[in-house]
Amino acid sequence: MPDLLLELFSEEIPARMQAKAADDLRRMVTDKLVAEGLVYEGAKAFATPRRLALTVHGIPARQPDLKTERRGPKMGAADAAVQGFLKATGLTSLDEAKIQRDPKGDFYIALIEKPGRDAIDVLAEILPVIIRTFPWPKSMRWGARSGKPGSLSWVRPLHAITATFGPETEEPDVVKFSVDGIETGQTTYGHRFMAPDAISVRRFEDYEAKLKAAKVILDPQARNDIIFADAKELTFAQGFELVEDQVLLDEVSGLVEWPVVMMGSFEAEYLAIPEEVIRATIRNNQKCFVVKDSKTGKLTNKFVLTANIEAADGGKTIVAGNERVIRPRLSDAKFFYETDLKTKLEDRLPKFEQIVFHEKLGTQAARIKRIERLAAEIAPLVGADVAKATRAAHLAKADLLTEVVGEFPEVQGLMGKYYALAQGEDASVAAACEEHYKPQGPADRVPTDPVSVAVALADKLDTLVGFWAIDEKPTGSKDPYALRRAALGVIRLIAENALRLSLMKVAASALAGLSVKPADAQKLPSDLLAFFADRLKVQLREQGARHDLVDAVFALGGQDDLLMIVRRVEALGKFLESDDGKNLLAGIKRASNILGIEEKKDKRSFDGAPDAALYSLDEEKALAKAIGEVQAEASAAVAKEDFAAAMSAMAKLRPPVDAFFEKVRVNDDDAKVRENRLKLLNEIRSATRAVADFSKIQD
């Protein structure tokens, strides 16, 4: 079957837009093909700085013929209805229609046959529409073409469109259309400098090979692999090691069509700057990789750059040019760093009085005071020194006002640590200046130093309680203040440090420190706890746990100790994986279902202890005895937080529950016996609630 080759050749496409643009092109074309009945075999899109390309394999040469039936008016209907039916269906008379019998009468049916079109004609129709409606995040219009103003909106000026279609065994045809005066053809262009001449292409294999000969690597992943392998080899050959950076690697591969890796250097005196500042300077300004000494692990005064050309002088001029740019950038960074060291962190804090954190939550200075107070309260709960936690909270935000952080916001916190150490602060206080932002995502490291943990919890909980108090909660996909991330950070801090912490109490304390009070201050901590429950479900689900088990534990109420909840969920999950757990769950569900039906029928609940005198069967007596023993044993185990033992106790209910349902008829003819047996079933439900609400667990 025929294949499609499409290339949109333009001026340089920003690297950050290329991957999504390639995916959008593939999706839009293939969706349209399928909608037109042209089911293809495979498709792949590519991007370089100057082109988007797509190949679609195995497209049928022609659309299938379509046959559809259209129901018309009843026999004997008004002439206007008949004429409208004939016009809509293309029939010349009712003699060409069928008659379909129906309980409501006999109706005319038109059989409409729509012959399929050649696929190349369909492509010529859909491709220009896709090009004109392409979803670039930013686009532009440019000058006149052929004396007329340009009408196309594209990311950068579009110069050529290659579009061919045909089977492998034949010469492909050009898919003929034009967009904004640009006619399609079989002509593209190679590397801007090394092979700028026009290239005539036919199908994808020919296209890719000719581009490579013209110094263009079409596949972004291939460019990525070349840069990474060459950079590793170049640094290794000189006794160094590349500092890997996947985000930068992806960006750099989008800046070049023919990657050529080189190494430059800078003066060793700049190594006195913190390594992260050197890396940020070289990475952000020149898109270069930094290099470290493989023996010491410290940065060297080398960097790796990726050129887009094989230079006649072996790249000496290119390297020298990059060195000339990097040198003053590092000089500026060194000046900023040395200037920052002249002012102590606490001396910067008065400026926060003039900086608003949020119009309803006050200044940044007021927020720092709240975090200090909350950190001091949390410190004893996490084993941290109160004075150190207070001091760390006092200084943690100060580096936001430094020159280096102003230039490189990504090093906030980290620079706070460096400046704190430079002015002689305790190591734990300095570490907390950096780590109080952590964890910022699922892959980020969780602090373990108690001082860092106290300040990190205080920072996140102040944020959450504050925005909850002013009713700025996340809605749907919108979370402008990253409150979901803050809640997950709290959960990870507690769970991974095995902390025993009452979220309700800490949230209430944080609320007390706010100048603004919500309308229902009593309800806020419990509302926030429900939010934590939802975030905990997400966290556990990502770890492979079942979210319904979280519901089963939270349904017991009064659960604000996240560590205990996690441990209880883990024990419950393991129990339900066993045969005893599965069968007991089935028995409890059966008891709950029967109770639900009978409670609805009688319009009352069956609370209260059953009457032992009404037990007539051994299975009733055995179940009642087992419930009493298990409830006491499970409750004692839960009190000791030995959830595995509590689950083992629950397992003892399985035999008597199974026997009860096998031998006992709950809805006995004697009303008193029936009520007593329903109360006994309610006792099963009550006993198992010592560990979880089993009704919340999905089968």
Side-chain angles (χ1 to χ4, degrees), residues 18 21-22 29 129 138 250 320 429 446 457 469 486 551 564 567 599 629 635 686:
Q18 291 172 21
V29 172
V129 174
K138 289 185 178 181
D250 291 339
V429 171
V446 174
L457 285 171
D551 287 333
M564 189 170 72
R567 288 177 175 172
E599 285 171 344
E629 293 173 352
S635 297
S686 299

Side-chain angles (χ1 to χ4, degrees), residues 400-415:
L400 294 173
L401 298 175
T402 62
E403 298 289 341
V404 170
V405 173
E407 184 72 14
F408 305 109
E410 66 267 32
V411 296
Q412 64 180 297
L414 177 67
M415 295 312 298

Side-chain angles (χ1 to χ4, degrees), residues 448-679:
T448 56
D449 184 288
V451 174
S452 295
V453 172
V455 182
L457 285 171
D459 181 42
K460 292 169 177 57
L461 287 167
D462 175 77
T463 299
L464 287 160
V465 171
F467 284 107
W468 239 253
I470 62 174
D471 200 27
E472 291 279 0
K473 306 169 189 175
T475 56
S477 61
K478 294 182 180 179
D479 187 10
Y481 303 111
L483 301 182
R484 293 187 180 96
R485 186 175 70 186
L488 281 172
V490 171
I491 290 169
R492 290 189 64 200
L493 282 162
I494 290 173
E496 296 185 32
N497 285 292
L499 300 177
R500 305 307 305 274
L501 201 67
S502 170
L503 282 176
M504 295 278 279
K505 290 180 180 178
V506 178
S509 180
L511 179 60
L514 290 173
S515 58
V516 60
K517 302 297 180 187
D520 191 351
Q522 298 296 321
K523 189 181 177 186
L524 184 143
S526 59
D527 278 355
L528 189 56
L529 183 62
F531 181 68
F532 274 109
D534 288 339
R535 294 300 92 204
L536 183 58
K537 289 181 202 174
V538 172
Q539 176 79 0
L540 293 176
R541 186 163 59 242
E542 289 176 353
Q543 295 174 357
R546 291 166 47 180
H547 65 87
D548 58 327
L549 304 189
V550 182
D551 287 333
V553 173
F554 267 100
L556 300 180
Q559 303 285 331
D560 71 338
D561 184 334
L562 292 184
L563 182 63
M564 189 170 72
I565 291 168
V566 170
R567 288 177 175 172
R568 192 181 287 228
V569 168
E570 289 174 352
L572 183 58
K574 290 179 181 177
F575 176 58
L576 292 175
E577 289 174 359
S578 68
D579 289 339
D580 282 342
K582 293 173 185 174
N583 289 317
L584 180 59
L585 175 62
I588 295 168
K589 289 273 190 180
R590 185 174 177 184
S592 295
N593 290 338
I594 293 172
L595 277 168
I597 293 169
E598 299 306 316
E599 285 171 344
K600 186 176 181 180
K601 185 189 299 180
D602 289 18
K603 296 181 181 178
R604 66 187 182 94
S605 63
F606 292 95
D607 296 329
D611 185 353
L614 292 174
Y615 296 149
S616 60
L617 299 174
D618 291 341
E619 288 77 12
E620 290 177 283
K621 298 172 185 176
L623 178 58
K625 181 181 178 184
I627 289 172
E629 293 173 352
V630 165
Q631 193 163 24
E633 189 177 340
S635 297
V638 168
K640 296 177 184 177
E641 298 181 13
D642 187 349
F643 301 115
M647 299 302 164
S648 296
M650 285 289 112
K652 296 177 183 178
L653 274 180
R654 177 194 167 183
V657 167
D658 289 348
F660 179 87
F661 282 120
E662 185 178 344
K663 300 291 185 180
V664 178
R665 185 163 69 93
V666 175
N667 285 319
D668 194 85
D669 294 336
D670 187 322
K672 289 185 177 181
V673 172
R674 170 183 174 272
E675 181 178 351
N676 204 57
R677 288 174 178 172
L678 289 170
K679 286 183 176 181

Side-chain angles (χ1 to χ4, degrees), residues 225-268:
D225 293 342
I226 290 169
I227 296 168
F228 183 68
D230 288 357
K232 292 273 284 185
E233 183 178 346
L234 180 60
T235 52
F236 179 77
Q238 297 194 30
F240 302 127
E241 186 178 341
L242 180 73
V243 176
E244 297 180 18
D245 187 332
Q246 187 61 50
V247 174
L248 179 60
L249 181 60
D250 291 339
E251 183 177 6
V252 170
S253 69
L255 296 173
V256 296
E257 290 194 319
W258 189 257
V260 179
V261 176
M262 306 173 188
M263 182 180 288
S265 63
F266 54 87
E267 285 73 12

Side-chain angles (χ1 to χ4, degrees), residues 150-181:
S151 62
L152 177 66
S153 182
W154 199 250
V155 63
R156 294 291 185 271
L158 186 65
H159 292 312
I161 303 172
T162 298
T164 67
F165 181 74
E168 293 183 9
T169 56
E170 299 176 14
E171 187 70 19
D173 295 315
V174 173
V175 183
K176 294 182 179 179
F177 62 89
S178 67
V179 176
D180 199 32

Side-chain angles (χ1 to χ4, degrees), residues 280-476:
T281 301
I282 293 175
R283 182 188 198 275
N284 294 2
N285 294 306
Q286 285 304 105
K287 310 302 179 189
C288 295
F289 299 88
V290 292
V291 177
K292 65 183 178 181
D293 187 313
S294 55
K295 295 178 181 178
T296 65
K298 294 185 176 296
L299 288 191
T300 69
N301 61 327
K302 303 287 184 181
F303 63 91
V304 171
L305 64 99
T306 307
N308 189 34
I309 189 172
E310 293 176 352
D313 63 355
K316 291 180 182 179
T317 303
I318 295 172
V319 170
N322 277 268
E323 290 175 343
R324 280 197 303 273
V325 175
I326 284 176
R327 191 175 295 114
R329 297 286 190 179
L330 288 173
S331 179
D332 287 347
K334 186 172 183 286
F335 173 77
F336 293 151
Y337 177 60
E338 291 173 349
T339 301
D340 286 341
L341 288 174
K342 295 175 183 177
T343 305
K344 287 193 171 184
L345 290 172
E346 57 263 45
D347 292 341
R348 300 179 183 276
L349 296 177
K351 290 185 179 180
F352 281 128
E353 296 284 356
Q354 282 76 50
I355 298 175
V356 175
F357 170 66
H358 188 281
E359 60 179 353
K360 294 181 181 179
L361 295 173
T363 64
Q364 186 72 274
R367 180 166 187 257
I368 290 171
K369 289 178 182 177
R370 294 198 304 269
I371 296 172
E372 282 183 53
R373 186 183 63 82
L374 197 56
E377 291 186 19
I378 293 173
L381 305 176
V382 301
D385 181 277
V386 174
K388 291 180 181 179
T390 304
R391 178 67 175 169
H394 183 65
L395 299 177
K397 303 294 182 184
D399 73 333
L400 294 173
L401 298 175
T402 62
E403 298 289 341
V404 170
V405 173
E407 184 72 14
F408 305 109
E410 66 267 32
V411 296
Q412 64 180 297
L414 177 67
M415 295 312 298
K417 180 186 75 172
Y418 283 126
Y419 296 140
L421 290 172
Q423 69 182 40
E425 297 291 340
D426 179 87
S428 291
V429 171
C433 289
E434 176 190 8
E435 295 181 331
H436 79 283
Y437 290 110
K438 296 181 177 293
Q440 291 189 306
D444 197 13
R445 177 175 60 85
V446 174
T448 56
D449 184 288
V451 174
S452 295
V453 172
V455 182
L457 285 171
D459 181 42
K460 292 169 177 57
L461 287 167
D462 175 77
T463 299
L464 287 160
V465 171
F467 284 107
W468 239 253
I470 62 174
D471 200 27
E472 291 279 0
K473 306 169 189 175
T475 56

